[in-house]
Amino acid sequence: MQFCPGRSDATDGSGSEILEPRITGTTNDTIELLGDFVNVLGLTKRQYVAIVGGAYSGGAPLWSTETTDGSSTIDNTFFTNLIENEWTLTTDANGVELYKAEGEELYLLQADLIVRWDPEMLMAAQEFASDNATFRKEFASAWTQVIIHTIILIYSYTHILIYS
């Protein structure tokens, strides 16, 4: 069986720009780009916000300059920190632009702060900040959807390879 890993008509690599990541974690990220990214993932903005909060649960490395605590607890700490703190753009020792919580050693990427800047995402974040049970329920639902979509994509791709 022959396999072609990409476009065979673009030997110079042209045309691949559209495959570049849209959300890069830099200050170039916008509400519009993030909204498009969420749509490509097949999630609602509310589901995406829950996934982001879950990703930062358990002391994710970017969230704090401290080492992770190894916790596997999913909770709404991300949302309370996001809502309650004021964030200032700063540059770390490696030249990466991050937003730092005033008076805290907490850092976010611009894509994370877009959750606060987008009105629909902010509403979800505020609800999750005030109700951990609601956050956990939404996270479980969104995570299940992501996993199901991933399994469907893998199955579809495998099916195409086998029967091509």
Side-chain angles (χ1 to χ4, degrees):
M1 160 186 357
Q2 288 187 340
F3 173 72
C4 178
R7 290 183 50 189
S8 60
D9 64 330
T11 56
D12 65 352
S14 65
S16 297
E17 302 84 33
I18 63 168
L19 300 176
E20 294 294 322
R22 293 178 183 233
I23 299 298
T24 60
T26 67
T27 54
N28 294 327
D29 294 341
T30 66
I31 290 174
E32 292 77 21
L33 283 175
L34 186 61
D36 184 49
F37 176 71
V38 170
N39 286 334
V40 168
L41 291 175
L43 299 172
T44 65
K45 286 183 176 182
R46 179 181 174 84
Q47 290 170 321
Y48 175 78
V49 170
I51 292 290
V52 170
Y56 279 116
S57 288
L62 182 61
W63 179 249
S64 174
T65 57
E66 303 297 318
T67 57
T68 61
D69 61 8
S71 170
S72 59
T73 301
I74 301 291
D75 66 29
N76 63 350
T77 303
F78 168 79
F79 301 110
T80 56
N81 283 319
L82 177 70
I83 303 297
E84 293 174 0
N85 286 298
E86 293 300 319
W87 300 89
T88 305
L89 184 62
T90 187
T91 305
D92 74 4
N94 298 318
V96 177
E97 291 182 318
L98 299 167
Y99 286 83
K100 182 182 183 303
E102 292 181 14
E104 302 278 343
E105 287 301 311
L106 301 174
Y107 297 85
L108 291 178
L109 297 171
Q110 182 157 313
D112 302 320
L113 273 176
I114 289 174
V115 169
R116 186 171 164 167
W117 300 336
D118 179 90
E120 187 178 344
M121 290 185 185
L122 176 60
M123 280 183 19
Q126 289 171 328
E127 181 180 358
F128 297 156
S130 67
D131 187 344
N132 194 46
T134 297
F135 160 61
R136 286 178 162 184
K137 183 177 179 181
E138 188 68 36
F139 175 78
S141 172
W143 184 254
T144 300
Q145 183 171 333
V146 167
I147 296 302
I148 288 171
H149 280 124
T150 302
I151 291 169
I152 289 170
L153 287 172
I154 291 170
Y155 174 79
S156 299
Y157 184 69
T158 304
H159 187 79
I160 290 168
L161 286 178
I162 291 172
Y163 296 104
S164 294

